[in-house]
Amino acid sequence: QGAPRRSGTCRGRNAAMADRVREVMESMVPELEDVQRRGLCSASEVKVLVRRRERFEYLVHRPRATRDDFLRYLQLEMNFEALLKCRRRRLGMTRQGPPDFAIRRRIHFIFSRAARRFKGDERLWMQWIDFAERRKADKRLERIYGRALAVLPHSVPLWTRAAAWEFEARSNASAARRLLQRALRANRGSRELWLAYFRFELIFAERVQRRRSALGLDGGAGAADGDDVAAGSMADGEEAVGEDDGEDDGEDGGGLEVGDEDEDEDGGAAGLAPAPMTDVEGAEGGELGGGSAATSAVARYVYESAVAAMPEDVELRLGCLRACGEVEAGAPIQAAIETSLRDSFGESAAVAVALASLPLDRCAAEPEWGSAHAAALRAALQSLDASLAAAPSAHLRDACVAWVEAVTQREGLPPATVVRMRKKALQLCKAAHAAGEASPSVYQRWAALHFAAALSAADVSGLLPDASEPDAALAWRQLGGSDGAHDGALQLALSACEAGAIRHPQDASLACMRLRLLLARCGERPTLSDLAHLRDLFHEVASALRGTPGALCVWRVWIEAAIAAADSTSQPQVVLAVWRRAEAALRAESAPLKVLLAEWLCRLNLSRARELRPALLRSPPTPLRVYEALLAHESAEGPLYGKSVLQGSSADLAGQSGGVSARCVAAELVALFERAVSEHGHDSVGLWLHYARCHLRQGAFAKASAVHDRALRVLKEQLHSDFVTRYQEALRGDAE
């Protein structure tokens, strides 16, 4: 008996859904008739539109309707709106008619149903707000914001956007202030909201000042008026915060109210009773004290309230300080905020650097370097010196050196200023060393700055150990020119590194930099015999760092130097001896170094590379890139994957390497493939495809099929479909 009852229930639900859809479709008849009567759409186009609308109505009325169903429906209506606009312009209809307004109402209706179905989808609410703002639907926006904030009270972007709309679009400062205060009651730990509220009060104060200037109320009796304006602003905020009715009073026209999320799309919005928020009220005798201009008093109170709510948040105070620099009304409290930052976070390197950066950041709008930039730079250096004098520390000195170095890389900086800033950085490095507070990075930058001056390089980051390895190796090899022009800078840099090695003997990056400097003294293209005297030093440093990640860096430097030697290809056994020592010291961690050795082997002739590569492959793990390079070298046809790997026939393979037979070449390739798939066969689709294509090019279809079957057994299951698809494409390509 249960089955018929369930069937009857489903039929009843479907009938109810059909009735609702029919009701919606019937409401479209007047607008569609009007569109057809005006000549904007033909009868056939109207029929197509009706069918599409009906299909979407059934989709969105389903119990399990998705967000994409609503979005596709909205896209249909927006496209139809754009089509009508174009046709109206083409027919010379300048005024909008009932169809245009009907489509907009329909779009809002769809948005309203989607928002009711997916209440917590912030992106959907934002899309609805964007549409309403583009159409300048202010009354509709007021209701949308009220519904959205009622269901998403912890959405900071919604609160800030609603307040910005009230303030900028409707010029309603009182409503914007109430919104921000309500937002902070629900999200007291939001840095973004506190910054928005502080910035709002600064902008409001600036507008009040401009209005007073325009009215000629800058001095005398006008000062009292200014106090009244500021007090009135604060009183308005206190009234909104402290009372429960939330009603609007005065000439500002009220403002949006946070309403019920289940309201009808044309319904009203009920107010949300606010709770007390006393920490934004008067702050006489607070942290900053008095002395600010009257019109910025509210902003000062907001800052004190923000600090009280989030006392350990440095970024909040820095954001308020930056906001003061953007608005003229912030000047009276800027110095007080800087003082509070130094008092509370005097030992913070981030605060010291941020305070120093502020003067230069304010000049960023001016493209060319001028007197304002020079004055800002002097102020920044004075701020750094004051921070170092107040609370010197290793971390602070490191941050100061890094900041001064970053300034030298600014675009448009005069060469003379670059030289002075480098001298300033060197002075900071020496002072840190003398005080015993120099970190390893300070010594590294100290050495790099010496060579940056000698090479006339604008950027020293390429000389630091954290640069990309190929670029760093090339830069350091270029330091020791054959003419000896950089010997003085090289010796100074080496002295800095040696001083750092004494203070920080276990720092790998500093040790690598010192070794690169010693290699640079051997010239740009030294021979292996020129490097022999450094062998013992490298082994000593590597032994000291054994068991740490820095050991790999030291061996990398040594192998790079051996490979880059002028006679490395003629004396490969010396290079391999270095590799054996590295492999014995690092064991499994030596896998990244195999890539360097593989690239070097590919520079040798094929027969020589075949003799030497067993030493490279004898101990796993071997990275896939090593096999890629060796297979490409063996095939002598180019890259590993793709149609360009083995474009020639087997006769072409027989012509490689001085007349080696096709069977011999195929055997070497098979041996390499077998080694590669034994390590990487479970996750490399391209490797198996290359293996199969090698057999297909030789006409060995049975062997290619065997490779295909092995691949399906070895590869991970989620890679099977990709392999089969690409294998079939390879078969079709070979057949063509």
Side-chain angles (χ1 to χ4, degrees), residues 124-139:
L124 182 62
W125 287 105
M126 288 296 188
Q127 289 174 330
W128 192 4
I129 291 170
D130 288 336
F131 176 78
E133 285 184 349
R134 288 196 301 270
R135 299 301 181 270
K136 295 180 173 59
D138 288 347
K139 292 184 179 179

Side-chain angles (χ1 to χ4, degrees), residues 476-499:
W476 285 109
R477 285 200 301 270
Q478 292 174 347
L479 295 182
S482 58
D483 57 355
H486 309 313
D487 287 346
L490 177 60
Q491 187 58 44
L492 290 173
L494 189 56
S495 301
C497 281
E498 289 175 347

Side-chain angles (χ1 to χ4, degrees), residues 216-231:
L217 301 176
D218 289 334
D225 296 338
D227 295 340
D228 294 339
V229 170

Side-chain angles (χ1 to χ4, degrees), residues 83-101:
L83 176 65
L84 290 186
K85 183 178 180 181
C86 293
R87 291 187 176 179
R88 201 162 29 82
R89 186 185 302 112
R90 186 181 62 189
L91 295 175
M93 300 179 181
T94 56
R95 298 185 61 183
Q96 296 182 0
D100 301 282
F101 301 110

Side-chain angles (χ1 to χ4, degrees), residues 375-405:
L377 184 57
R378 286 194 297 270
L381 293 177
Q382 291 173 0
S383 176
L384 281 183
D385 292 338
S387 299
L388 285 172
S393 65
H395 189 49
L396 178 57
R397 294 182 187 277
D398 190 4
C400 291
V401 174
W403 182 84
V404 173
E405 177 197 324

Side-chain angles (χ1 to χ4, degrees), residues 62-90:
R62 294 182 303 167
R64 297 183 178 180
T66 64
R67 181 178 180 274
D68 290 339
D69 294 334
F70 286 97
L71 292 180
R72 290 199 300 270
Y73 195 2
L74 287 167
Q75 191 61 51
L76 171 68
E77 296 297 335
M78 291 179 183
N79 291 342
F80 184 53
E81 181 189 25
L83 176 65
L84 290 186
K85 183 178 180 181
C86 293
R87 291 187 176 179
R88 201 162 29 82
R89 186 185 302 112
R90 186 181 62 189

Side-chain angles (χ1 to χ4, degrees), residues 219-268:
D225 296 338
D227 295 340
D228 294 339
V229 170
S233 300
M234 194 65 224
D236 179 79
E238 292 170 2
E239 178 184 357
V241 170
E243 297 182 1
D244 292 335
D245 54 8
E247 295 294 327
D248 300 310
D249 187 14
E251 301 177 357
D252 54 16
L256 69 89
E257 295 292 335
V258 181
D260 184 5
E261 70 275 10
D262 292 328
E263 62 165 348
D264 185 77
E265 63 130 358
D266 292 322

Side-chain angles (χ1 to χ4, degrees), residues 7 53 175 186 205 269 300 349 397 418 481 691:
S7 177
R53 281 181 171 178
R300 188 178 74 250
R397 294 182 187 277
V418 173
Y691 196 1

